[in-house]
Amino acid sequence: RCPKEQTNLVWQELCLAAIGEQFSTIEGDDVVGVSVQSRDGGQDLVQIWNSNPSEQAQKSIDEKVLSLF
């Protein structure tokens, strides 16, 4: 989840990271999509779609997102 006032910045950084293949830290794992859903209230929902839904891949992506923001 992302505060609405930060959504544009988060979207931009996630798109650049996905294009630059910064999420490909595990062999055989690929990010296949990034999406933002506008929600009522103070937060939007940001999703990162990967082709390898393993726990190790998810942890690697989470760590990369934390380092970006």
Side-chain angles (χ1 to χ4, degrees):
R1 299 200 181 269
C2 172
K4 284 198 176 280
E5 59 273 358
Q6 297 294 319
T7 300
N8 289 338
L9 175 63
V10 169
W11 175 247
Q12 176 183 331
E13 292 299 319
L14 286 178
C15 285
L16 291 173
I19 290 168
E21 298 183 5
Q22 293 183 26
F23 292 114
S24 298
T25 58
I26 296 176
E27 186 66 33
D29 182 37
D30 291 316
V31 169
V32 295
V34 179
S35 67
V36 174
Q37 295 177 0
S38 182
R39 300 289 179 145
D40 291 338
Q43 295 184 334
D44 291 329
L45 181 63
V46 178
Q47 295 179 321
I48 300 172
W49 300 74
N50 65 329
S51 62
N52 180 9
S54 71
E55 186 175 323
Q56 181 184 14
Q58 184 63 49
K59 183 177 178 184
S60 174
I61 290 172
D62 290 346
E63 289 171 356
K64 187 61 183 177
V65 168
L66 287 175
S67 74
L68 287 172
F69 303 104

